[in-house]
Amino acid sequence: MRQNGAPVGPAQHTPDGVEVLVSVGSAAEWQLPDAEALTEGTIDVPHPATVAPSTQQAHTWIVSPQECGPLTDADLLHEAYAAALASGSHGHHPTTIITIAPTPGVIASLAVRPWIDHTAAGQNFAPMLITHPTPRRPDDTPEAIEAGMRGVAQALGAGRPDCFLPDVGPRVAIHRGTVLIRFEGAPHLLTTRAPRWVQIVTGLGLVLLAVGFDPLSPGTHGAEVDEYIERAGKSDRIRFAGARVAHSARHWPRVEPPSSARLLTARR
């Protein structure tokens, strides 16, 4: 479907195969090998943040609901699946975008840019852009960088900019003037220092997290950052989330306090 430029909605991998969500009744007439339209009843699904290679009771999202796209068109899926069967490419997905969970190396390499902006009504809000620096090592390939940044976005619960802004709860905390950022399912915390930003964001209680899939030089600021965000938004290569600020990491649910967590400092 991606080779044909067709959008793919939420889909999960299960012990029995792949389940793709389509509109109710739209696949009722399917008659293809190894394909079945589920009718009445319920299906088990993992948490939206559980994406390959992570699993939850042997289930994982290939395309997470957090991507916020529409349901898959059953007719287009039928056409693509039939074509794959006919061509013998069943089970081969050359255009699948790989996502990896944020590793300590990925987290430590991240560049963080926090700043204070204003709405049209003059109200303060606190954005924080998270990107990967421009490649400096042989293994910093475009594919590896994108996989890592998609994993970062999903671990933060960030979604597409053309959808509603996900409220991902308390993901940011302030500890002795240091900003701590928590990833879902990861024991490592991303940290950065921004004293003046911390003073304002503590009062606001909210942070607009933005994760860009493309590299950005650590020295880039101002208008160049604005251009990066605008370009990434138009090309669907950035994700956003609204995160609440906890006064202490001890207030985070199911997270150990900073004294027992490994802190990874990002570049600014």
Side-chain angles (χ1 to χ4, degrees):
M1 291 186 68
R2 284 178 171 144
Q3 281 181 307
N4 296 332
V8 181
Q12 67 160 335
H13 188 276
T14 78
D16 300 319
V18 173
E19 295 176 350
V20 183
L21 302 188
V22 299
S23 298
V24 174
S26 61
E29 302 301 322
W30 272 45
Q31 292 184 352
L32 288 172
D34 298 323
E36 177 185 2
L38 304 182
T39 54
E40 296 182 0
T42 60
I43 61 172
D44 293 325
V45 298
H47 187 278
T50 303
V51 296
S54 301
T55 62
Q56 181 179 331
Q57 297 181 344
H59 290 240
T60 186
W61 289 106
I62 302 171
V63 181
S64 170
Q66 292 185 151
E67 290 293 308
C68 211
L71 295 178
T72 297
D73 185 296
D75 291 336
L76 295 178
L77 178 61
H78 184 283
E79 179 182 335
Y81 184 55
L85 289 174
S87 66
S89 62
H90 182 39
H92 178 56
H93 308 282
T95 58
T96 297
I97 299 174
I98 299 174
T99 299
I100 61 173
T103 63
V106 168
I107 296 174
S109 70
L110 297 175
V112 178
R113 293 170 179 79
W115 73 97
I116 300 299
D117 212 328
H118 304 83
T119 66
Q123 295 178 315
N124 287 341
F125 69 98
M128 174 182 283
L129 176 62
I130 302 174
T131 61
H132 192 286
T134 48
R136 285 182 287 186
R137 301 176 301 176
D139 56 349
D140 282 341
T141 64
E143 295 78 13
I145 291 175
E146 178 167 353
M149 296 313 297
R150 285 183 178 273
V152 167
Q154 291 184 337
L156 290 174
R160 279 193 172 96
D162 56 349
C163 303
F164 64 90
L165 182 68
D167 180 353
V168 297
R171 293 296 181 93
V172 177
I174 310 301
H175 180 71
R176 297 180 179 177
T178 298
V179 182
L180 311 177
I181 304 161
R182 177 176 68 87
F183 298 96
E184 188 70 34
H188 308 288
L189 305 177
L190 173 63
T191 78
T192 188
R193 292 191 63 83
R196 293 198 298 179
W197 187 84
V198 163
Q199 293 178 3
I200 297 177
V201 81
T202 300
L204 291 175
L206 293 172
V207 174
L208 174 63
L209 297 176
V211 181
F213 296 158
D214 296 315
L216 186 64
S217 172
T220 304
H221 294 285
E224 292 179 295
V225 172
D226 293 339
E227 291 175 4
Y228 173 91
I229 294 174
E230 183 177 358
R231 183 172 62 252
K234 290 180 178 178
S235 58
D236 191 30
R237 299 188 61 76
I238 194 167
R239 298 292 183 263
F240 293 93
R244 284 177 249 158
V245 180
H247 293 295
S248 169
R250 296 179 185 275
H251 298 161
W252 276 337
R254 303 184 303 278
V255 176
E256 293 179 326
S259 60
S260 58
R262 182 179 176 188
L263 305 183
L264 301 171
T265 303
R267 300 183 180 92
R268 283 185 293 147

